[in-house]
Amino acid sequence: MLFDLNPKENVSELFDRKNELEELSGAIERGEKLTVVYGVRRIGKTSLLRSFISEKKSLSIFLDIRQIYYIHKRTIPSEAVYEQILREFTDLMGILGIGAEEQTSVFSAYGENNITNLLSDINKWCSTRKVKFLLVLDEAQYLRHSRKISYDGVIAWSLDNLKSIFFIVSGSEVGVLKEMLDFENTKAPLYGRFRNEILLKKLSNEESSEFLLRGFKEQSHKISDVEINQVNGKIGGLIGWLTYYGHYRTANNMAHNDALNKVFSEGSKIAMSEIENLIKKSKKRYLAIMTGIAKGMGSWADIKAYTITKTGKIPDSGLDMLLSSLIKFSIIEKDSSGSYKIVDPILREYLSSPSSKLSHR
Ligand SMILES: Nc1ncnc2c1ncn2[C@@H]1O[C@H](COP(=O)(O)OP(=O)(O)OP(=O)(O)O)[C@@H](O)[C@H]1O
Ligand SMILES: [Mg+2]
């Protein structure tokens, strides 16, 4: 069902993404052991990855690192990562009919909570059976909150030593994930490593329209061209918001305007709560900058002028720092003409609307 709000779990439920699925399978078939999937929030990373592994013959496990981070009070305990890999891998062995005793014997360092040993054991087991093991790390940028382990080092070590283990890492804070993997830094463990990089793009207008038409047809509901154009103009491109709209219209039987308004009212709450933590260190300035951009101030000088009127003087270096961290977290982007834009149309509309109660006002 296209308008199901949960991440999709099967290729048959997935709208498009054929190229990305092919790129993923191609990489694994060619023996390329690291693939990175970048994409802003609600663009469909989790759906792509879950659907991909659901139909692969390779053994695979899916770790939601953001979930581990929140469950463990904003930390990444190495025990939690270790235990989840171990638990999911032994579950897989169970599915393959391997009994508990043999399962235990595979792990030389059972209970030692050593991730590299665990990966070595998994690799040995997979290599003797000539199967590939896919470790999917969704929202992998949260691994940087680990105090004990530097996961870029673990991945680099695995790429060098473990021939049956494949990594797919993804993240919605694109710049943060890039910074964590640090491919360009000569001193970093993953420097210059071969990797496949897949950047999930927003849907084009035609694709957004087709997604809506298909979803409505699936639910035997109707949508007019005028409605499609309005939806595209306001929230087109981000498949996650289109899914919300379609869900409200078809599952909740809401009228077009009501559904669109609800996407905005619910969506802006969700989007604001997601960035709350990222901007809290300099909240007034961040909000002033974002509001300026949302209101159409695209150039550095205009953003600076707007920010000064809202929060007082700001040094150039301070503004640069805040802008680059907004880019890193994929909250803003620079378009082809070098002008700053808010990535999420709902956030853009919320920040630019006079009714949004922003604390810097
Ligand atoms: N290719 C697709 N076909 C149909 N629905 C999709 C597709 N991709 C995403 N969706 C829908 O869009 C919403 C967001 O998808 P998903 O959670 O996969 O995105 P994400 O990029 O992982 O988001 P986040 O960054 O918030 O984790 C979900 O409701 C999902 O069902
Ligand atoms: Mg996701």
Side-chain angles (χ1 to χ4, degrees):
M1 230 175 70
L2 282 179
F3 294 155
D4 182 349
L5 296 178
N6 298 308
K8 306 299 187 280
E9 302 206 344
N10 287 296
V11 172
S12 63
E13 299 174 301
L14 217 52
F15 175 76
D16 198 18
R17 298 295 186 215
K18 270 199 204 80
N19 291 341
E20 290 84 355
L21 288 167
E22 268 168 30
E23 279 183 57
L24 285 166
S25 348
I28 311 293
E29 274 153 31
R30 292 190 298 272
E32 296 162 1
K33 291 191 290 183
L34 176 60
T35 301
V36 191
V37 177
Y38 304 102
V40 300
R41 291 213 68 147
R42 279 170 287 274
I43 205 145
K45 301 171 296 298
T46 304
S47 297
L48 172 72
L49 297 178
R50 284 205 177 275
S51 304
F52 173 69
I53 61 173
S54 76
E55 66 163 31
K56 278 308 308 164
K57 285 185 210 81
S58 332
L59 296 179
S60 56
I61 65 177
F62 184 100
L63 262 54
D64 180 349
I65 308 295
R66 185 164 62 195
Q67 191 186 35
I68 297 179
Y69 175 74
Y70 283 114
I71 290 177
H72 295 279
K73 304 200 171 102
R74 300 179 195 272
T75 60
I76 299 286
S78 57
E79 303 78 27
V81 178
Y82 173 89
E83 273 159 26
Q84 199 172 339
I85 298 177
L86 179 62
R87 192 177 52 241
E88 305 234 355
F89 192 76
T90 47
D91 282 354
L92 278 178
M93 293 168 104
I95 294 168
L96 295 173
I98 290 153
E101 210 167 299
E102 190 186 338
Q103 285 181 19
T104 316
S105 73
V106 169
F107 300 104
S108 57
Y110 223 125
E112 271 185 21
N113 178 30
N114 181 324
I115 288 176
T116 49
N117 283 348
L118 176 64
L119 293 178
S120 288
D121 292 338
I122 291 176
N123 178 63
K124 210 185 292 169
W125 193 82
C126 291
S127 298
T128 35
R129 280 166 183 73
K130 297 198 167 43
V131 285
K132 292 170 177 170
F133 173 64
L134 287 186
L135 184 52
V136 180
L137 306 172
D138 196 14
E139 300 296 352
Q141 73 277 7
Y142 284 89
L143 288 171
R144 77 192 188 284
H145 294 291
S146 166
R147 289 211 198 95
K148 286 198 202 143
I149 297 185
S150 122
Y151 284 92
D152 55 338
V154 172
I155 295 173
W157 168 82
S158 176
L159 296 178
D160 285 344
N161 295 287
L162 309 179
K163 73 173 196 309
S164 299
I165 300 198
F166 288 66
F167 290 87
I168 302 180
V169 300
S170 92
S172 49
E173 292 157 4
V174 173
V176 183
L177 179 58
K178 284 191 170 157
E179 197 171 88
M180 193 191 91
L181 298 170
D182 219 3
F183 292 117
E184 315 298 333
N185 174 2
T186 49
K187 296 206 177 74
L190 284 168
Y191 171 68
R193 291 311 172 110
F194 182 85
R195 72 273 179 188
N196 290 286
E197 292 181 288
I198 299 178
L199 175 66
L200 294 189
K201 294 206 200 76
K202 290 183 183 174
L203 301 183
S204 66
N205 255 346
E206 293 71 43
E207 288 165 334
S208 294
S209 308
E210 198 190 325
F211 176 73
L212 289 170
L213 281 172
R214 235 193 261 177
F216 272 77
K217 192 166 171 208
E218 196 180 58
Q219 299 304 312
S220 310
H221 274 247
K222 287 213 161 62
I223 180 166
S224 72
D225 289 348
V226 176
E227 290 167 347
I228 289 182
N229 286 339
Q230 277 182 1
V231 175
N232 276 348
K234 292 194 178 287
I235 54 172
L238 280 181
I239 200 160
W241 293 140
L242 295 175
T243 307
Y244 267 87
Y245 168 82
H247 180 84
Y248 291 142
R249 290 265 338 244
T250 58
N252 300 0
N253 261 319
M254 290 172 75
H256 166 71
N257 282 331
D258 295 342
L260 205 47
N261 287 338
K262 195 164 162 74
V263 178
F264 273 104
S265 60
E266 295 297 314
S268 54
K269 274 187 231 152
I270 299 171
M272 283 304 286
S273 75
E274 286 166 355
I275 64 172
E276 185 79 13
N277 201 41
L278 309 177
I279 63 169
K280 73 168 182 242
K281 280 201 184 123
S282 205
K283 193 168 172 187
K284 285 194 173 148
R285 276 183 170 164
Y286 271 128
L287 284 175
I289 293 171
M290 285 159 44
T291 306
I293 297 174
K295 286 176 184 290
M297 268 138 272
S299 73
W300 191 92
D302 287 350
I303 296 166
K304 176 159 179 179
Y306 183 85
T307 308
I308 290 173
T309 65
K310 293 294 168 190
T311 60
K313 271 193 179 161
I314 178 168
D316 288 358
S317 59
L319 180 62
D320 281 340
M321 219 175 64
L322 299 184
L323 282 171
S324 69
S325 84
L326 288 170
I327 290 185
K328 237 170 56 179
F329 286 107
S330 302
I331 299 172
I332 64 170
E333 64 194 348
K334 262 189 189 177
D335 67 13
S336 48
S337 65
S339 171
Y340 292 95
K341 290 262 146 56
I342 303 280
V343 169
D344 184 331
I346 290 204
L347 204 55
R348 188 186 315 142
E349 168 92 9
Y350 175 76
L351 290 165
S352 64
S353 72
S355 61
S356 68
K357 293 185 188 63
L358 297 177
S359 52
H360 70 280
R361 293 218 173 101

